Amino acid sequence: MTMQRPSFKIDATHPGSDLAGEASAALASASLLFKSSDPAYAQKLLDHAKQLYTFADTYRGKYSDSIPAAANFYNSYSGYNDELVWAGAWLYKATGDQSYLDKAETLYAQTLKGSLVGWTLSWDDKRYADAVILAQLTG
């Protein structure tokens, strides 16, 4: 790409639960990959995944609402609940901490259940992946 790609930041006054949730899920899943070969690195990934999840859950908001200029590049059409569920499920897989799964299930039931129509997994929309991972985790 030859166009400029500005960077932006999220913080407590400009939240981005979708961004922080997605990053949390990525780090939690990566920690599983390194658990056997590099436990110290896996723990570092997991620690940061937990921090990002806490931030995403505490300061809820869509990054494209908080940072309108970012919407020109990656508008968040699906909101942030799908990424919070995604992060919670991966954190449960990585930690075994039931509270992450409980939050993911509750948020899915309250905001996403029944919304799987006409789309698939994408960078913006994790609803289908949420349904699959929750089904795997809960049977």
Side-chain angles (χ1 to χ4, degrees), residues 4-10 67 70 73:
Q4 288 188 344
R5 301 294 293 228
S7 61
F8 305 97
K9 73 172 185 165
I10 55 174
I67 307 165
F73 299 97

Side-chain angles (χ1 to χ4, degrees), residues 8 10 16-24 52 56 61 63 67 74 80 83:
F8 305 97
I10 55 174
S17 299
D18 34 8
L19 257 56
E22 182 68 27
S24 172
L52 282 166
Y63 79 94
I67 307 165
Y74 294 108
Y80 56 81
E83 281 87 7

Side-chain angles (χ1 to χ4, degrees), residues 78 115-128:
S78 70
S115 66
L116 304 178
V117 230
W119 197 236
T120 187
L121 175 68
S122 75
W123 63 268
D124 177 44
D125 191 342
K126 301 296 177 290
R127 290 176 295 174
Y128 282 89

Side-chain angles (χ1 to χ4, degrees), residues 11-113:
D11 57 29
T13 56
H14 301 93
S17 299
D18 34 8
L19 257 56
E22 182 68 27
S24 172
L27 293 175
S29 64
S31 76
L32 293 170
L33 295 173
F34 288 98
K35 195 172 187 172
S36 310
S37 62
D38 193 342
Y41 183 60
Q43 188 59 54
K44 184 176 186 175
L45 292 170
L46 195 52
D47 290 343
H48 290 300
K50 291 176 184 178
Q51 291 169 337
L52 282 166
Y53 179 82
T54 299
F55 174 82
D57 193 32
T58 303
Y59 302 103
R60 290 189 179 192
K62 226 170 54 163
Y63 79 94
S64 54
D65 288 345
S66 296
I67 307 165
N72 295 329
F73 299 97
Y74 294 108
N75 192 27
S76 181
Y77 297 101
S78 70
Y80 56 81
N81 288 322
D82 55 322
E83 281 87 7
L84 287 177
V85 170
W86 187 234
W90 276 107
L91 280 164
Y92 172 72
K93 280 186 83 147
T95 66
D97 182 338
Q98 185 68 37
S99 67
Y100 289 118
L101 182 58
D102 291 345
K103 276 187 162 185
E105 284 186 292
T106 299
L107 190 57
Y108 184 86
Q110 290 174 344
T111 64
L112 301 174
K113 187 176 179 182

